Amino acid sequence: MATTEERVSRLEGGFEHLATKADVANLKVWIMGLLLTVVVSVFLSAATLVIQLLS
């Protein structure tokens, strides 16, 4: 029979591949940055299209 420490150690070892709260927070920052980049890109593309149509 395994001791409590051995069992806890095996359980903790199985969680190494899971994301931490810090990982999720970093992902949120990356997603918000990507969203901002997409919005700015769409705005600049629309402005370029309007300028070309008016010229």
Side-chain angles (χ1 to χ4, degrees):
M1 184 75 132
T3 65
T4 304
E5 290 82 15
E6 291 171 341
R7 294 175 70 192
V8 170
S9 177
R10 272 191 245 135
L11 286 172
E12 288 176 344
F15 293 131
E16 292 178 5
H17 64 283
L18 298 178
T20 62
K21 288 182 181 180
D23 293 333
V24 173
N26 287 337
L27 180 61
K28 287 180 182 179
V29 170
W30 276 95
I31 289 173
M32 291 305 293
L34 179 61
L35 181 61
L36 177 62
T37 303
V38 168
V39 168
V40 169
S41 177
V42 167
F43 176 74
L44 290 175
S45 297
T48 302
L49 180 63
V50 169
I51 290 170
Q52 286 179 353
L53 290 175
L54 294 177
S55 298

